[in-house]
Amino acid sequence: MKVWDRFVRVAHWSLAACVLIAWIAARLKLKAAEPVHEWSGYAVLLVVALRLLWGWIGTRYARFDQFIVGPKRTIAYAGAMLRGSEPRYVGHNPLGGWMIVALLATGAAASLSGWLSITDRFWGVEWVQDTHHVLGDALIVLAAFHVAGVAFTSRRQGENLAAAMVSGVKRAPGPGDIP
């Protein structure tokens, strides 16, 4: 069944590409790579802003109210996962939902702190630059956990979630699945 709309899929892969490009450009430590890093950061901020809007007005599985749940449900899901008895979610599972929140928030904060670090007021201010570097590294760590979670869930549930984020299609709900 169709789960992920085109906007969600394009935003997902655009955000991944922009973060990776910004991170690589920063690691090159070349003057010529600085504009690539900067503009990739602006692109991250734009994608995050659009995704936040789409999280309120978008299609069913794109909306935050569909996949962001409270702590009780999230902890219960995590416990079931540790026991190997978690239900399959057609959309994002509770841990995946909170990972989206973490990735969007950290991406926005990294981009904003990067922009702040090149303003006249904060140019060369060490704590602003340090904050930007820490947030950039945290974003990469979160992305690695996200990829690991996708691989784990794909294997556990016998469904290629990365391919679903390309095609938008997932297996229809079965008995015990959460639609």
Side-chain angles (χ1 to χ4, degrees):
M1 72 181 272
K2 192 72 159 183
V3 175
W4 310 122
D5 64 62
R6 179 171 289 146
F7 181 84
V8 167
R9 292 177 286 139
V10 169
H12 175 273
W13 294 112
S14 297
L15 189 58
C18 290
V19 167
L20 188 58
I21 289 166
W23 187 75
I24 290 170
R27 295 301 172 268
L28 291 175
K29 299 198 186 297
L30 299 172
K31 191 76 169 158
E34 288 176 9
V36 173
H37 177 78
E38 185 176 330
W39 283 100
S40 295
Y42 294 143
V44 165
L45 200 53
L46 175 63
V47 173
V48 168
L50 292 172
R51 181 61 183 95
L52 289 174
L53 177 64
W54 198 243
W56 294 106
I57 66 170
T59 57
R60 176 182 180 190
Y61 292 105
R63 289 194 307 264
F64 298 128
D65 64 359
Q66 196 278 327
F67 62 82
I68 297 175
V69 300
K72 271 186 171 177
R73 283 184 54 196
T74 303
I75 292 167
Y77 177 83
M81 186 191 72
L82 291 172
R83 292 186 304 276
S85 63
E86 76 277 11
R88 175 183 171 264
Y89 278 73
V90 174
H92 287 94
N93 66 50
L95 292 175
W98 283 108
M99 179 56 81
I100 291 170
V101 171
L103 288 164
L104 292 175
T106 306
S111 297
L112 288 170
S113 64
W115 166 76
L116 193 62
S117 74
I118 62 169
T119 62
D120 289 341
R121 173 125 168 82
F122 292 101
W123 176 262
V125 175
E126 192 173 337
W127 73 264
V128 175
Q129 292 175 345
D130 290 346
T131 299
H132 180 63
H133 292 133
V134 167
L135 288 168
D137 289 342
L139 188 54
I140 295 300
V141 170
L142 285 171
F145 277 114
H146 172 61
V147 169
V150 166
F152 174 84
T153 305
S154 292
R155 183 165 176 84
R156 176 98 111 205
Q157 297 178 352
E159 183 169 41
N160 187 335
L161 296 177
M165 193 49 76
V166 172
S167 69
V169 176
K170 288 182 76 178
R171 187 174 74 240
D177 289 351
I178 311 287

